[in-house]
Amino acid sequence: MIDVHRLKILREVSAQGSFAKAAASLLLTPSAVSQQVAALERSLGRPVVERSTRGVTLTESGRVLVEAAETVAAELAAAQERIDRLAEGRTGTLSVATFTSAGQALLPPALIALNASYPDVELTVTEAEPEDAAELVRSGRADLGLTYHFGHAPATPRLTLVPLMNEQIWLVLPQGHRLAGRRAVRIAELADERWIDGCGAAGAPLARASGMAGFQPSVVCTSTDYLFTQSLVEAGVGFALIPRIALATHRAGLAFVPLEHPRPTRHIGVVTARRRWAQPLVDALLAALREAVHTIAPDPRDG
């Protein structure tokens, strides 16, 4: 039988990269940490770490154990949270992690529908980028996470990824620009233009589109705020590529033009934890999010 306490110690050793740092984090001595890891290795009959003067690294067996340790820790955290809710009489609680544009366009109508069916639900919403949202769900600190990706779906260990919608990336430019009335634009036509790009994952549309067209875009500003980006476009600072649900269709000074193929697509999904008990509020919100997708007009010029 694998000792859960030793699993916790190995998990911390993996996170910190050394016995000394793990010991400091766990309020133990380095000797105690080393002894517990050695005892774990004896019980398995296999080494779980490789020791060197530069610290410790996991063996393949160690990596398997740390993955198991993370699963156990998440399950225990979720169970503790559930028990706390029961003890306090808070059976109707739901924690959601979401990236900004989904929180603005998809989440509000879904939460309205959820509140209609569960008027006493206690909601907590956390703004988080996709990787952070997945980690919040994995650790039990969120019940559901709205995420997105470009290209192939990322691996989501111990989580279930439910596809929600695929949204087109639109070219945003000032209303009076010569290309504003076009039915579609090839990204290669814009190789010499100035661009306002997103930071991190939000910058993937321009990187993918320009890469497919074989040019390096001239970026004059980067921002994680799509509304700020569109304000700069309206002011004539540059062009932008923005996902459908983040478009500010109420701004009369902007024009939206689709890109010709090949063009990047943003895939929005929901991550949930694989729990051993029913999650009726999670299921209800997921159903409401699916309905909310239908409220968004595919073409921003229609709504």
Side-chain angles (χ1 to χ4, degrees):
M1 179 69 70
I2 297 173
D3 186 286
V4 175
H5 177 63
R6 290 170 184 162
L7 274 184
K8 177 183 177 181
I9 290 175
L10 180 64
R11 179 170 173 248
E12 194 62 27
V13 169
S14 172
Q16 300 294 338
S18 76
F19 289 154
K21 291 180 180 179
S25 175
L26 295 168
L27 302 179
L28 298 171
T29 66
S31 175
V33 169
S34 179
Q35 289 172 12
Q36 290 296 320
V37 171
L40 180 60
E41 291 176 321
R42 286 195 300 272
S43 68
L44 291 172
R46 299 182 64 86
V48 296
V49 297
E50 294 178 350
R51 300 159 175 83
S52 73
T53 56
R54 292 174 294 178
V56 295
T57 56
L58 296 177
T59 64
E60 186 60 32
S61 297
R63 284 190 286 271
V64 170
L65 280 182
V66 167
E67 183 175 336
E70 290 175 346
T71 300
V72 169
E75 287 291 322
L76 289 174
Q80 183 65 60
E81 173 65 17
R82 192 165 182 240
I83 290 168
D84 291 343
R85 292 173 183 177
L86 291 171
E88 298 172 13
R90 299 183 296 110
T91 54
T93 62
L94 187 67
S95 178
V96 182
T98 180
F99 60 97
T100 305
S101 53
Q104 293 171 336
L106 289 174
L107 194 56
L111 292 180
I112 290 171
L114 180 73
N115 277 312
S117 299
Y118 297 89
D120 296 326
V121 65
E122 293 183 23
L123 287 165
T124 302
V125 179
T126 302
E127 184 179 3
E129 286 303 300
E131 288 186 5
D132 297 327
E135 183 54 37
L136 287 171
V137 175
R138 188 179 293 111
S139 67
R141 289 174 289 167
D143 299 304
L144 176 150
L146 280 153
T147 69
Y148 67 85
H149 65 275
F150 299 92
H152 297 294
T156 53
R158 304 182 303 283
L159 300 178
T160 297
L161 174 61
V162 180
L164 197 59
M165 66 178 291
N166 299 326
E167 59 173 339
Q168 184 174 335
I169 305 299
W170 288 75
L171 170 66
V172 183
L173 63 163
Q175 182 63 253
H177 194 276
R178 59 182 176 80
L179 297 176
R182 290 273 294 272
R183 294 183 59 184
V185 174
R186 289 184 300 109
I187 189 68
E189 296 179 63
L190 311 172
D192 296 328
E193 300 291 346
R194 297 174 302 170
W195 292 92
I196 303 158
D197 198 9
C199 300
L206 181 57
R208 295 177 71 87
S210 61
M212 287 186 287
F215 72 90
Q216 181 68 35
S218 172
V219 175
V220 296
C221 178
T222 57
S223 173
T224 57
D225 187 329
Y226 284 126
L227 291 178
F228 174 55
T229 295
Q230 289 170 91
S231 296
L232 294 181
V233 173
E234 192 172 20
V237 175
F239 289 1
L241 296 182
I242 295 181
R244 168 64 191 95
I245 66 170
L247 293 178
T249 54
H250 61 282
R251 301 185 84 118
L254 295 176
F256 311 107
V257 181
L259 296 177
E260 291 185 5
H261 292 286
R263 63 187 178 216
T265 299
R266 186 167 79 162
H267 309 281
I268 297 178
V270 174
V271 290
T272 60
R274 299 167 189 165
R275 300 293 182 218
R276 291 179 172 81
W277 52 79
Q279 302 181 85
L281 289 175
V282 170
D283 294 339
L285 182 56
L286 180 55
L289 284 167
R290 288 192 174 112
E291 288 299 316
V293 167
H294 301 303
T295 67
I296 298 173
D299 192 324
R301 297 165 298 193
D302 295 336

Coordinates of all heavy atoms in Angstrom, one line a residue, residues 104 172-174 196 223 225-238 240 242-251 253-256:
Q104 N -18.0 37.9 -20.5 CA -18.8 39.0 -21.0 C -20.0 38.6 -21.8 O -21.1 39.1 -21.8 CB -18.0 40.0 -21.7 CG -16.9 40.7 -20.9 CD -15.9 41.6 -21.7 OE1 -15.7 41.3 -22.9 NE2 -15.3 42.6 -21.1
V172 N -10.6 43.5 -37.8 CA -11.3 44.7 -37.3 C -10.5 45.9 -37.8 O -9.3 45.9 -37.7 CB -11.3 44.7 -35.8 CG1 -12.1 46.0 -35.3 CG2 -12.0 43.5 -35.2
L173 N -11.2 46.8 -38.5 CA -10.5 48.0 -39.1 C -11.4 49.2 -39.0 O -12.6 49.0 -38.7 CB -10.1 47.7 -40.5 CG -11.2 47.4 -41.5 CD1 -10.6 47.6 -42.9 CD2 -11.7 46.0 -41.4
P174 N -10.9 50.4 -39.1 CA -11.8 51.6 -39.1 C -12.8 51.6 -40.1 O -12.6 51.1 -41.3 CB -10.8 52.8 -39.3 CG -9.5 52.2 -38.9 CD -9.5 50.8 -39.3
I196 N -2.4 45.7 -33.9 CA -2.5 45.6 -32.5 C -2.8 44.2 -32.1 O -3.8 43.6 -32.6 CB -3.7 46.5 -32.0 CG1 -3.5 48.0 -32.5 CG2 -3.9 46.5 -30.5 CD1 -4.8 48.8 -32.6
S223 N -2.1 44.0 -26.2 CA -3.0 44.2 -25.1 C -3.8 42.9 -24.8 O -4.1 42.2 -25.8 CB -3.9 45.4 -25.3 OG -4.9 45.5 -24.4
D225 N -6.8 43.3 -23.5 CA -8.1 43.9 -23.4 C -8.7 44.1 -24.8 O -8.2 45.0 -25.5 CB -8.1 45.2 -22.6 CG -9.5 45.8 -22.3 OD1 -10.4 45.6 -23.1 OD2 -9.6 46.4 -21.3
Y226 N -9.6 43.3 -25.2 CA -10.2 43.5 -26.6 C -10.9 44.8 -26.8 O -10.9 45.3 -27.9 CB -11.1 42.3 -26.9 CG -10.4 41.0 -27.2 CD1 -10.7 39.8 -26.5 CD2 -9.4 40.9 -28.2 CE1 -10.1 38.6 -26.8 CE2 -8.8 39.7 -28.4 CZ -9.1 38.6 -27.7 OH -8.5 37.4 -28.0
L227 N -11.5 45.3 -25.8 CA -12.2 46.6 -25.9 C -11.2 47.7 -26.1 O -11.4 48.6 -27.0 CB -13.1 46.9 -24.7 CG -14.3 46.0 -24.5 CD1 -15.1 46.3 -23.3 CD2 -15.3 46.1 -25.7
F228 N -10.1 47.7 -25.4 CA -9.1 48.7 -25.6 C -8.5 48.6 -27.0 O -8.3 49.6 -27.7 CB -8.0 48.5 -24.5 CG -6.8 49.3 -24.7 CD1 -6.8 50.7 -24.8 CD2 -5.5 48.7 -24.8 CE1 -5.7 51.5 -25.0 CE2 -4.4 49.5 -24.9 CZ -4.5 50.9 -25.0
T229 N -8.3 47.3 -27.4 CA -7.7 47.1 -28.7 C -8.6 47.7 -29.8 O -8.2 48.4 -30.7 CB -7.6 45.6 -29.0 OG1 -6.6 45.0 -28.1 CG2 -7.2 45.3 -30.4
Q230 N -9.9 47.5 -29.7 CA -10.9 48.0 -30.7 C -10.9 49.6 -30.6 O -11.2 50.2 -31.6 CB -12.2 47.4 -30.5 CG -12.2 45.9 -30.9 CD -13.4 45.1 -30.6 OE1 -14.4 45.1 -31.4 NE2 -13.4 44.5 -29.4
S231 N -10.7 50.1 -29.4 CA -10.6 51.6 -29.4 C -9.5 52.1 -30.2 O -9.6 53.2 -30.8 CB -10.5 52.0 -27.9 OG -11.6 51.7 -27.1
L232 N -8.3 51.4 -30.1 CA -7.2 51.8 -30.9 C -7.4 51.7 -32.4 O -6.9 52.5 -33.2 CB -5.9 51.0 -30.4 CG -5.5 51.3 -29.0 CD1 -4.2 50.4 -28.7 CD2 -5.2 52.7 -28.7
V233 N -8.1 50.6 -32.7 CA -8.4 50.4 -34.2 C -9.3 51.5 -34.6 O -9.0 52.1 -35.7 CB -9.1 49.0 -34.4 CG1 -9.6 48.9 -35.8 CG2 -8.2 47.9 -34.1
E234 N -10.3 51.9 -33.9 CA -11.2 53.0 -34.2 C -10.4 54.3 -34.4 O -10.8 55.1 -35.2 CB -12.3 53.1 -33.2 CG -13.4 54.0 -33.6 CD -14.6 53.9 -32.6 OE1 -14.3 53.5 -31.4 OE2 -15.7 54.3 -32.9
A235 N -9.4 54.4 -33.6 CA -8.5 55.7 -33.6 C -7.5 55.6 -34.8 O -6.8 56.6 -35.0 CB -7.8 55.9 -32.3
G236 N -7.5 54.5 -35.5 CA -6.6 54.5 -36.7 C -5.2 54.0 -36.3 O -4.2 54.2 -37.2
V237 N -5.0 53.5 -35.1 CA -3.6 53.1 -34.7 C -3.1 51.8 -35.5 O -2.0 51.7 -35.8 CB -3.6 52.8 -33.2 CG1 -2.2 52.3 -32.8 CG2 -3.9 54.1 -32.5
G238 N -4.1 50.9 -35.8 CA -3.7 49.7 -36.5 C -4.9 48.8 -36.7 O -6.0 49.1 -36.3
A240 N -6.6 44.7 -36.2 CA -6.6 43.7 -35.2 C -7.4 42.5 -35.7 O -8.3 42.6 -36.5 CB -7.2 44.2 -33.9
I242 N -9.7 39.6 -34.0 CA -10.4 39.4 -32.8 C -11.5 38.3 -32.9 O -12.2 38.3 -33.9 CB -11.0 40.8 -32.3 CG1 -9.9 41.8 -32.0 CG2 -11.9 40.6 -31.1 CD1 -10.4 43.1 -31.5
P243 N -11.6 37.5 -31.9 CA -12.6 36.4 -31.9 C -14.0 37.0 -31.9 O -14.2 38.1 -31.4 CB -12.3 35.6 -30.7 CG -10.9 35.9 -30.3 CD -10.7 37.3 -30.7
R244 N -15.0 36.3 -32.5 CA -16.3 36.8 -32.6 C -17.0 37.3 -31.4 O -17.5 38.4 -31.3 CB -17.2 35.6 -33.2 CG -18.7 35.9 -33.2 CD -19.1 37.1 -34.0 NE -20.5 37.5 -33.8 CZ -20.8 38.5 -33.0 NH1 -19.9 39.1 -32.3 NH2 -22.1 38.9 -32.9
I245 N -16.9 36.6 -30.3 CA -17.6 37.0 -29.1 C -17.0 38.2 -28.4 O -17.7 38.8 -27.5 CB -17.8 35.8 -28.0 CG1 -16.4 35.5 -27.4 CG2 -18.5 34.7 -28.6 CD1 -16.6 34.5 -26.3
A246 N -15.8 38.6 -28.8 CA -15.2 39.8 -28.2 C -15.4 41.0 -29.0 O -14.9 42.1 -28.6 CB -13.7 39.5 -28.0
L247 N -16.1 41.0 -30.1 CA -16.3 42.1 -31.0 C -17.3 43.1 -30.4 O -18.3 42.8 -29.9 CB -16.8 41.7 -32.3 CG -15.8 40.9 -33.2 CD1 -16.4 40.5 -34.5 CD2 -14.5 41.6 -33.4
A248 N -16.9 44.4 -30.4 CA -17.7 45.5 -29.9 C -18.6 46.0 -31.0 O -18.4 47.0 -31.6 CB -16.9 46.6 -29.3
T249 N -19.7 45.2 -31.3 CA -20.5 45.5 -32.4 C -21.3 46.9 -32.3 O -21.9 47.3 -33.2 CB -21.5 44.4 -32.7 OG1 -22.3 44.1 -31.5 CG2 -20.8 43.1 -33.0
H250 N -21.3 47.4 -31.1 CA -22.0 48.7 -30.9 C -21.2 49.9 -31.3 O -21.8 51.0 -31.3 CB -22.4 48.8 -29.4 CG -21.2 48.9 -28.5 ND1 -20.5 47.7 -28.1 CD2 -20.6 49.9 -27.9 CE1 -19.5 48.1 -27.3 NE2 -19.5 49.4 -27.2
R251 N -20.0 49.7 -31.7 CA -19.1 50.8 -32.0 C -19.3 51.1 -33.5 O -18.9 50.4 -34.4 CB -17.7 50.5 -31.7 CG -17.4 50.2 -30.2 CD -16.0 50.0 -30.0 NE -15.3 51.3 -29.8 CZ -14.7 51.7 -28.6 NH1 -14.7 50.8 -27.6 NH2 -14.2 52.8 -28.5
G253 N -17.8 53.2 -35.3 CA -16.6 53.5 -36.0 C -15.7 52.4 -36.5 O -14.6 52.5 -37.0
L254 N -16.2 51.1 -36.2 CA -15.5 49.9 -36.6 C -16.2 49.2 -37.7 O -17.4 49.2 -37.9 CB -15.4 49.0 -35.4 CG -14.6 49.5 -34.2 CD1 -14.6 48.5 -33.0 CD2 -13.1 49.8 -34.6
A255 N -15.4 48.5 -38.5 CA -15.9 47.6 -39.5 C -15.3 46.2 -39.3 O -14.1 46.1 -38.8 CB -15.5 48.1 -40.9
F256 N -16.1 45.2 -39.6 CA -15.7 43.8 -39.4 C -15.7 43.0 -40.7 O -16.7 43.0 -41.4 CB -16.6 43.1 -38.4 CG -16.8 43.9 -37.1 CD1 -18.0 44.5 -36.9 CD2 -15.8 44.1 -36.2 CE1 -18.2 45.3 -35.8 CE2 -16.0 44.8 -35.0 CZ -17.2 45.5 -34.8

